[in-house]
Amino acid sequence: MNLALTVLQIVAPVFMLAGIGFTWVKAGLEYRIQFVTQLAMTLSLPCLIFVSLMQTDIDPSALAALSMASVTAYGAVTLAILALVRLIRLDTRTYAAPLIFGNTGNLGLPLALFAFGDIGLSYAIIVFAIMALWSYTFGIWLVAGAGSFGKVLREPLVWGTVLGALFLWQGWETPIFLTNALDLVGQMAIPMMLITLGVAVARLSAKGLMQAAALSAIKLGLCTGIAWVVGQYFTLDPTAFGVLVLQVATPVAVTSYLLAEKYGAQSDKVAGLVVASTLMSVAALPLILALVL
């Protein structure tokens, strides 16, 4: 009973904030998703990443182990999903990237924060950064047929991660007034991303939901299983293990739909995956949390 209550306390704020965004749109109120997303990804989230890394107290060996585990997990997930897509003859440009990359930003970061506290958020940012680098290179190549290393270098969240890691490594600190300002800006990120997630899901129309549900279930099983095995192999501490499994198991990201729309893949199919996997996560993520807590 105590475990169930703990899990409920962790996941309830996440889905309540997403529910605010969903209800906002269904009520016919205006929400400029492009502006809010750009504000979060360009300013607020990089500040959150930088300050969290700078102020965290992670053992270097634990940091290295989680980084290697994240790279290994996403590498294995990539190979498994590409094999699955080819086996059942799905369109690679449409299905591969959404099934590989999860919603580690909008959903994974707040879940890790609520479940494991500040140290969990710091661990989750490491996993998120590795996923983002892989997504902005190989992921874009999958959807568009061409990756861009220059795009990675222009992403503020990448520089927030690099600078935060540098300050963590060197033990540097920004002046208190600057740290406080960056911290305030960063605190906007998680509420904005969760509300925006609800808005985005409310605006999607899901077609072929049966196929999307089946693929979402396969993604969930593969990603959870691979992350679990990899975490055990690298003998991660309980917090790092729980964060890795949670992050890799997150549902299809809304950004996958935006990329499909931008590069001419079958965006309606991706929309179905976003809706089906997000709805599935309402039941699946609390269960995963109960297993890793």
Side-chain angles (χ1 to χ4, degrees):
M1 186 65 180
N2 288 336
L3 179 59
L5 181 60
T6 300
V7 171
L8 178 62
Q9 290 173 339
I10 292 168
V11 300
V14 172
F15 292 111
M16 285 175 67
L17 283 170
I20 289 172
F22 188 91
T23 305
W24 187 274
V25 169
K26 293 302 182 183
L29 299 173
E30 181 184 14
Y31 192 95
R32 299 189 179 184
I33 192 169
Q34 185 175 4
F35 165 74
V36 178
T37 301
Q38 187 174 16
L39 178 63
M41 299 298 289
T42 305
L43 182 62
S44 187
L45 186 56
C47 288
L48 173 67
I49 291 173
F50 173 75
V51 174
S52 296
L53 285 177
M54 180 179 66
Q55 294 184 332
T56 194
D57 185 21
I58 302 178
D59 180 73
S61 61
L63 182 63
L66 179 60
S67 299
M68 288 300 299
S70 301
V71 170
T72 303
Y74 277 109
V77 167
T78 299
L79 292 175
I81 293 299
L82 289 177
L84 172 68
V85 168
R86 178 166 295 186
L87 179 66
I88 58 181
R89 299 180 180 180
L90 296 173
D91 178 45
T92 301
R93 290 184 60 229
T94 298
Y95 289 97
L99 293 175
I100 293 171
F101 304 109
N103 203 345
T104 56
N106 295 55
L107 203 52
L109 294 183
L111 267 178
L113 173 63
F114 296 142
F116 302 104
D118 290 338
I119 187 65
L121 176 62
S122 299
Y123 280 141
I125 285 172
I126 299 300
V127 182
F128 168 73
I130 289 170
M131 187 283 301
L133 289 171
W134 190 226
S135 175
Y136 280 120
T137 52
F138 182 70
I140 290 177
W141 179 82
L142 282 174
V143 181
S148 174
F149 184 69
K151 181 176 178 64
V152 176
L153 296 180
R154 292 192 297 271
E155 284 297 328
L157 66 88
V158 173
W159 286 106
T161 304
V162 171
L163 289 175
L166 177 62
F167 274 61
L168 170 64
W169 175 47
Q170 293 293 331
W172 296 340
E173 290 276 348
T174 53
I176 294 176
F177 74 90
L178 180 57
T179 302
N180 289 341
L182 293 173
D183 188 42
L184 280 174
V185 175
Q187 287 177 24
M188 297 189 298
I190 287 177
M192 281 197 304
M193 290 191 299
L194 285 175
I195 292 172
T196 303
L197 172 63
V199 171
V201 171
R203 289 178 175 174
L204 294 175
S205 59
K207 298 179 181 179
L209 204 56
M210 290 299 294
Q211 182 192 49
L215 290 173
S216 297
I218 293 172
K219 168 183 168 57
L220 177 64
L222 277 176
C223 291
T224 304
I226 288 172
W228 195 284
V229 170
V230 170
Q232 294 284 357
Y233 176 79
F234 281 92
T235 60
L236 299 178
D237 68 71
T239 299
F241 176 83
V243 167
L244 177 68
V245 173
L246 268 180
Q247 284 283 63
V248 178
T250 50
V252 178
V254 178
T255 50
S256 294
Y257 168 76
L258 300 178
L259 286 174
E261 186 75 25
K262 179 177 180 179
Y263 292 110
Q266 299 176 53
S267 58
D268 59 324
K269 302 290 187 184
V270 180
L273 287 174
V274 173
V275 173
S277 63
T278 301
L279 291 175
M280 195 172 294
S281 72
V282 174
L285 289 179
L287 178 59
I288 293 172
L289 263 176
L291 293 173
V292 300
L293 284 176

